[in-house]
């Protein structure tokens, strides 16, 4: 792991994410980029004309430039304050402030900087706000081409000992397994494979255990446990199981569906990011 991206809005959760990113960087030797994106508003003012009637510059451009310059100055101060409040001695930290759409900039930075891991804070959401609005964190989880680690609460000593890997353990998980194994190895943690049995998609425990055993053999897993957990819905089952074993991290692969299919099917990974206090590591599979 060489590059970690930490998008920040200077919230408490974003600071917590930076703290976790520093802990991961200390173990891997990775460099961290702190990124803040300013989304400048658009105004519909009349343009400015010369004496001959030619357009010199739209008035809204002048207004936006002043507004953005003021924001940039404020943001630089906030960035310095953030860097100074998290102890990061020995970790290479760079900062960037840009004017763009948040998601577009994050996706472009992941691609252009060849980012290995995104660490983001999440405030969570519920009810109508979750359905209508969502969050930038959810959008990154849905679309990022690298693993995304979401953090809510402060984790001053981010030392992962117990990891939950929740999946249906079908063929698609193979795309993410190497990444998940690397994260387990990074912390020398115990991996708990869990299949959530629900009334709507019930399988016999013997069949599920056989599937999980085949998975462990196929990918050469070490230091693991195999678990079948019954619950009403998958998301709640994962959270209940993780709480039962005192998990430090939940790992999941996500299909990253968008648009109408996403509204119909939802995303368990995004639901977890919204509702659990435990850090969640997701990897978008195609």
């Amino acid at each position: 792991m060489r590059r970690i991206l930490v998008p920040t809005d200077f919230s408490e959760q974003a600071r917590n994410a930076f703290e976790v990113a520093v802990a991961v960087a200390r173990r891997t030797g990775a460099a961290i980029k702190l990124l803040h994106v300013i989304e400048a508003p658009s105004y519909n003012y009349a343009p400015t004309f010369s004496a001959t009637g030619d357009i010199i510059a739209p008035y809204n451009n002048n207004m936006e430039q002043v507004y953005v310059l003021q924001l940039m100055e404020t943001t630089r101060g906030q960035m310095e304050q953030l860097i100074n409040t998290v102890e990061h001695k020995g970790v290479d930290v760079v900062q960037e402030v840009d004017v763009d759409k948040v998601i577009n900039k994050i996706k472009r930075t992941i691609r252009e900087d060849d980012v290995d891991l995104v660490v983001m804070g999440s405030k969570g959401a519920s009810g109508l706000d979750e359905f209508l609005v969502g969050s930038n964190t959810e959008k990154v989880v849905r679309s990022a081409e690298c693993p995304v680690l979401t953090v809510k609460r402060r984790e001053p000593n981010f030392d992962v000992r117990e990891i939950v890997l929740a999946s249906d353990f079908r063929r698609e998980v193979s795309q993410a397994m190497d990444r998940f194994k690397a994260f387990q190895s990074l912390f020398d943690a115990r991996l708990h494979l869990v299949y959530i049995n629900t009334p709507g998609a019930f399988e016999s425990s013997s069949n599920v255990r056989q599937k999980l055993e085949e998975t462990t053999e196929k990918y050469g897993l070490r230091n693991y446990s195999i678990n079948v957990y019954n619950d009403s819905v998958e998301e709640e089952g994962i959270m209940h199981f993780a709480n039962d074993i005192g998990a430090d991290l939940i790992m999941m692969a996500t299909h990253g569906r968008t648009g109408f299919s996403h509204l119909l099917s939802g995303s368990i990974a995004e639901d977890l990011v919204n509702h659990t206090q435990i850090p969640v590591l997701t990897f978008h599979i195609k």
Side-chain angles (χ1 to χ4, degrees):
M1 187 180 296
R2 297 182 301 161
R3 297 181 180 88
I4 299 173
L5 176 64
V6 184
T8 181
D9 60 0
F10 307 114
S11 65
E12 178 183 350
Q13 292 80 7
R15 182 198 178 281
N16 296 343
F18 180 35
E19 204 167 48
V20 167
V22 169
V24 175
R26 290 195 193 284
R27 289 180 174 268
T28 62
I32 295 174
K33 173 179 277 190
L34 280 172
L35 173 67
H36 179 76
V37 184
I38 297 171
E39 291 203 31
S42 295
Y43 298 101
N44 293 315
Y45 294 111
T48 301
F49 294 89
S50 69
T52 60
D54 297 323
I55 296 177
I56 299 175
Y59 183 71
N60 63 313
N61 282 355
N62 296 333
M63 292 293 292
E64 287 180 10
Q65 285 175 9
V66 171
Y67 177 75
V68 169
L69 286 173
Q70 291 174 338
L71 276 180
M72 294 279 280
E73 191 65 28
T74 301
T75 298
R76 290 190 184 98
Q78 290 176 302
M79 193 74 86
E80 288 299 324
Q81 184 178 12
L82 173 60
I83 290 175
N84 292 333
T85 56
V86 174
E87 202 286 309
H88 61 279
K89 185 178 180 180
V91 176
D92 182 16
V93 179
V94 298
Q95 53 182 288
E96 181 180 357
V97 179
D98 200 1
V99 181
D100 204 338
K101 296 293 185 182
V102 174
I103 300 303
N104 292 347
K105 176 62 179 179
I106 291 173
K107 290 169 68 175
R108 189 166 63 253
T109 302
I110 291 171
R111 183 175 63 255
E112 293 177 352
D113 289 6
D114 196 20
V115 170
D116 299 295
L117 176 69
V118 176
V119 185
M120 289 189 75
S122 172
K123 295 181 177 67
S126 61
L128 189 61
D129 179 61
E130 178 184 354
F131 181 74
L132 293 177
V133 180
S135 69
N136 285 324
T137 304
E138 284 182 57
K139 294 172 185 175
V140 175
V141 166
R142 195 181 307 157
S143 61
E145 297 175 1
C146 68
V148 179
L149 176 60
T150 55
V151 178
K152 281 198 180 78
R153 62 192 178 193
R154 190 165 181 236
E155 306 277 350
N157 301 303
F158 188 62
D159 186 20
V160 178
R161 311 311 307 166
E162 310 292 335
I163 298 177
V164 171
L165 175 55
S167 175
D168 57 9
F169 299 98
R170 293 175 180 158
R171 184 175 58 186
E172 290 88 346
V173 77
S174 63
Q175 297 181 38
M177 191 59 77
D178 285 344
R179 309 285 187 112
F180 292 155
K181 285 176 63 178
F183 220 83
Q184 178 196 12
S185 177
L186 179 64
F187 290 94
D188 191 25
R190 184 164 177 77
L191 187 63
H192 301 271
L193 283 72
V194 61
Y195 179 94
I196 307 300
N197 235 344
T198 61
F202 183 82
E203 284 196 54
S204 71
S205 294
S206 59
N207 287 344
V208 173
R209 286 187 176 277
Q210 181 179 351
K211 184 190 300 184
L212 296 183
E213 288 169 359
E214 291 171 353
T215 298
T216 63
E217 292 176 7
K218 180 177 180 180
Y219 299 107
L221 299 184
R222 298 288 184 270
N223 190 17
Y224 64 86
S225 71
I226 288 175
N227 306 271
V228 181
Y229 195 90
N230 299 325
D231 213 313
S232 55
V233 294
E234 289 173 279
E235 175 211 335
E236 291 184 4
I238 295 168
M239 288 193 292
H240 292 158
F241 176 76
N243 289 329
D244 285 351
I245 68 164
D248 303 298
L249 177 69
I250 299 171
M251 299 194 303
M252 285 195 69
T254 175
H255 285 281
R257 295 184 178 93
T258 59
F260 189 58
S261 64
H262 173 259
L263 291 177
L264 289 176
S265 65
S267 168
I268 297 171
E270 291 168 38
D271 287 342
L272 282 172
V273 166
N274 270 329
H275 300 140
T276 184
Q277 292 296 312
I278 301 171
V280 180
L281 179 71
T282 57
F283 183 69
H284 174 205
I285 58 178
K286 297 178 181 178

